[in-house]
Amino acid sequence: MHFSSEQRLDGGVLEREFTLGEVPGILWTPVSVSAPVPLILLGHPGGLRKMYPRLVGRARHCAAGGFATATIELPGSGDRPRLPAAEQARADLRRAIEAGEPVSDEIIDALILPLVDQAVPEWQAALDALLALPGIGGPAGYSGGVISIGTRLAVVEPRIAAAVLFAGSFVPRAMFEEARQVTIPLHVLLQWDDEGNDRQAALDLFDAFGSPEKTLHANMGGHTGVPHFAGDAAAGFFTRHLK
């Protein structure tokens, strides 16, 4: 892990940009806490520069609660090389939506499954490097989307002790079987009127999760209309399970 820049943000948060191999990322840590703090991985749909305002807002909120946070760029997004198969699937998705046709399982699989297969090992490598840093300790949590990435991480990564999952992306049918293997505490956030989300698929995925403790937090509004109190509820969830 190579740190390329750092700056102090208002509110006592240290922001450091890094690269891990060819993967760029950002780490935020509270500067007022001396003891090792738990880590939350911030998931997103790709494009760190575009997503930065929302990511740094989430990071500030977590830092106020005594958590370090980190994120990495997704495969095929931002300045990373494009994935031809995913680009084709994205074009097929746009055509289906513009034509008013249902989005097929084949398109969803081609768009999401290769992304999950590549992104999850990269998140695990980031977790290796981040937990080795002074001032950061376990356990770790995962917060955000793509929900299939969070689902896979919850199954294969034992260092993830709890997850807040954002239901706002297409879900391949294969992920429902993986969801049944999830056992960690879950807090699932659903925007009820999300124009780009299959609400029923999100509800079915929540039903499939095998976690003994799982909560569905649904709010009215579109994809970007998450109310502030939803963040407060997620912060409380991590405080209960990571501290």
Side-chain angles (χ1 to χ4, degrees):
M1 175 174 281
H2 171 69
F3 287 99
S4 55
S5 68
E6 72 174 50
Q7 62 174 329
R8 290 205 175 197
L9 308 180
D10 294 341
V13 180
L14 178 64
E15 176 183 282
R16 288 180 282 175
E17 295 187 5
F18 65 84
T19 55
L20 187 63
E22 300 299 320
V23 181
I26 309 173
L27 170 65
W28 295 273
T29 51
V31 297
S32 60
V33 181
S34 57
V37 295
L39 173 69
I40 299 173
L41 304 177
L42 299 183
H44 60 90
L48 278 182
R49 292 176 183 171
K50 179 180 178 181
M51 292 297 302
Y52 177 81
R54 277 190 276 172
L55 287 166
V56 74
R58 291 162 61 191
R60 289 178 188 271
H61 198 194
C62 291
F67 295 99
T69 51
T71 192
I72 58 173
E73 184 62 276
L74 289 183
S77 296
D79 295 329
R80 299 189 64 184
R82 293 294 176 258
L83 304 176
E87 293 295 300
Q88 181 61 54
R90 197 168 287 112
D92 293 341
L93 173 65
R94 284 194 297 268
R95 280 195 292 270
I97 292 175
E98 290 169 0
E101 300 172 352
V103 180
S104 69
D105 290 342
E106 290 76 13
I107 293 175
I108 295 173
D109 287 354
L111 182 65
I112 302 296
L113 291 178
L115 176 64
V116 173
D117 289 343
Q118 184 171 341
V120 167
E122 292 178 351
W123 276 113
Q124 291 180 292
L127 193 57
D128 289 340
L130 291 163
L131 290 179
L133 295 174
I136 298 178
Y142 178 87
S143 175
V146 175
I147 197 169
S148 294
I149 293 176
T151 299
R152 174 74 61 80
L153 267 174
V155 173
V156 303
E157 180 47 70
R159 292 170 294 183
I160 300 293
V164 173
L165 301 179
F166 294 5
S169 52
F170 290 102
V171 183
R173 291 191 180 275
M175 296 309 302
F176 287 84
E177 184 56 40
E178 295 195 34
R180 294 184 179 93
Q181 302 173 47
V182 176
T183 59
I184 62 173
L186 295 179
H187 180 102
V188 181
L189 178 63
L190 170 64
Q191 287 299 104
W192 198 253
D193 304 307
D194 189 339
E195 61 280 0
N197 183 46
D198 184 336
R199 182 195 301 165
Q200 191 57 54
L203 295 173
D204 291 344
L205 184 66
F206 177 80
D207 188 51
F209 283 123
S211 302
E213 180 186 342
K214 58 182 180 179
T215 301
L216 178 66
H217 194 148
N219 298 289
M220 305 303 292
H223 188 76
T224 59
V226 181
H228 187 271
F229 60 77
D232 294 337
F237 170 82
F238 280 128
T239 297
R240 292 193 301 275
H241 293 288
L242 299 185
K243 288 189 172 182

